[in-house]
Amino acid sequence: MKGVILAGGSGTRLHPMTLPVSKQLLPVGDKPMIYYPLAVLMLAGVRDILLISTPHDVPHFRRLLGDGSQLGIAIGYAVQERPAGIAEALVIGAEHIGAGPVALVLGDNIFHGAELQRVLRENARDVQGCVLFGYRVPDPERHGVAEVDERGRLVSLEEKPAVPRANRAVTGLYFYDGEVVDIAKNVRPSARGELEITDVNRVYMERGRARVVDLGRGFAWLDTGTPESLLQAGLYVRMLEERQGLKVACIEEVALRMGFIDGDACYRLGAAMGNSQYGRYVMDLTEGSLR
């Protein structure tokens, strides 16, 4: 399975913070926001990833993450000239995706849960159609809302409905089979000229090939689109890390645990970050203190 991270957009709801830099490079806790979706793909076993961002921000992401080889993965980069819908990422990434399955994740989505790796790996195997990840929210009218049958198959999908038929929001994580690029290319642009991911998902639904995996009790899905939600996400991560003594979305730790790198490589990554608390944590991973 290939991976695509869409980290574009102008982040207008976070102005002036995002005037000079992508919101996905803002800190959530002690790490850049982009670490969280990257860790999700790595936990799913994805090692070949395309990161899509603006012409201005791609060099910043490249400086932060390089080609991914230090993590035992491959990261390439592509440009989205202007915000033109989530589904455009599938068109931009067509060559990268090829004919195989792909995991698409939004660069401002944060997922957490003790069973997250298991759920991701189980659903990344042999993707048939599309797999959406649902999360119950108190304000479904602000989201894409999915209604499913007793077998978890998607039967209706509404974007920000005035009267929601369910309280299950569709999160910013999507698994697709090899047909998705052709489907995305044939989606009719919206009135704003955007390729809507909801329209892609509806094609799969109409073919009876879309299902929803609920992220229920024990999972968290966090929004970071406003100053308030960005602060809340940072506080949530800080609380977890302080209470557990373990970091959320430490990509070096994920790479080590997944077997992408060995202990020596992990230690060198930590040492390269100097005397930071994050760097010391990464170095400690190889010294037995967290085992």
Side-chain angles (χ1 to χ4, degrees):
M1 174 178 274
K2 300 290 184 69
V4 173
I5 303 175
L6 180 57
S10 52
T12 54
R13 291 185 297 166
L14 287 166
H15 282 178
M17 290 186 289
T18 49
L19 287 173
V21 66
S22 166
K23 70 175 177 179
Q24 290 88 0
L25 290 168
L26 295 176
V28 177
D30 60 355
K31 60 192 74 70
M33 188 188 299
I34 196 65
Y35 275 33
Y36 295 87
L38 177 57
V40 165
L41 293 185
M42 293 169 66
L43 287 170
V46 177
R47 300 181 70 169
D48 193 352
I49 297 166
L50 180 70
L51 193 154
I52 300 173
S53 191
T54 68
H56 172 76
D57 291 309
V58 162
H60 301 316
F61 286 109
R62 194 187 300 272
R63 185 162 60 248
L64 174 67
L65 299 171
D67 64 2
S69 59
Q70 75 280 9
L71 298 169
I73 63 177
I75 302 177
Y77 299 88
V79 167
Q80 185 182 44
E81 294 292 343
R82 64 175 184 84
I86 296 171
E88 192 192 33
L90 300 165
V91 178
I92 294 171
E95 183 176 349
H96 167 77
I97 296 167
V102 62
L104 170 64
V105 63
L106 303 187
D108 60 357
N109 273 221
I110 296 176
F111 297 86
H112 180 260
E115 295 295 310
L116 183 60
Q117 180 180 347
R118 178 189 61 78
V119 170
L120 293 172
R121 294 300 296 271
E122 286 180 356
N123 288 283
R125 297 191 193 105
D126 191 29
V127 177
Q128 301 291 326
C130 83
V131 180
L132 308 179
F133 293 85
Y135 192 82
R136 297 185 185 276
V137 295
D139 52 354
E141 66 279 357
R142 295 182 55 243
H143 304 274
V145 175
E147 186 179 9
V148 304
D149 64 16
E150 65 279 358
R151 291 187 289 176
R153 292 185 306 181
L154 186 66
V155 296
S156 77
L157 186 58
E158 299 177 283
E159 189 64 30
K160 298 180 180 179
V163 183
R165 299 171 62 177
N167 65 346
R168 181 188 295 102
V170 177
T171 70
L173 175 64
Y174 319 85
F175 291 173
Y176 296 107
D177 66 12
E179 295 185 52
V180 71
V181 171
D182 286 338
I183 291 173
K185 286 180 177 179
N186 286 287
V187 164
R188 180 176 296 178
S190 68
R192 297 181 299 175
E194 298 185 355
L195 299 182
E196 302 290 352
I197 199 67
T198 297
D199 292 334
V200 171
N201 296 334
R202 283 199 183 105
V203 171
Y204 280 105
M205 179 185 71
E206 290 165 0
R207 296 178 180 178
R209 302 181 65 227
R211 63 185 179 89
V212 178
V213 175
D214 275 322
L215 299 176
R217 186 181 298 274
F219 289 93
W221 172 53
L222 305 178
D223 176 27
T224 57
T226 66
E228 294 78 12
S229 60
L230 181 63
L231 175 61
Q232 290 169 0
L235 292 173
Y236 174 84
V237 170
R238 179 180 177 183
M239 179 194 69
L240 282 177
E241 294 185 344
E242 286 183 348
R243 293 190 177 188
Q244 297 180 351
L246 301 171
K247 290 204 173 294
V248 178
C250 173
I251 55 177
E252 296 82 5
E253 181 175 11
V254 174
L256 178 65
R257 302 302 188 205
M258 295 294 293
F260 298 167
I261 60 174
D262 61 22
D264 290 341
C266 185
Y267 186 89
R268 289 193 297 270
L269 291 174
M273 284 180 270
N275 197 35
S276 69
Q277 190 270 342
Y278 186 97
R280 291 194 299 273
Y281 177 88
V282 173
M283 287 188 286
D284 286 345
L285 291 170
T286 64
E287 295 182 348
S289 62
L290 295 176
R291 295 179 181 175

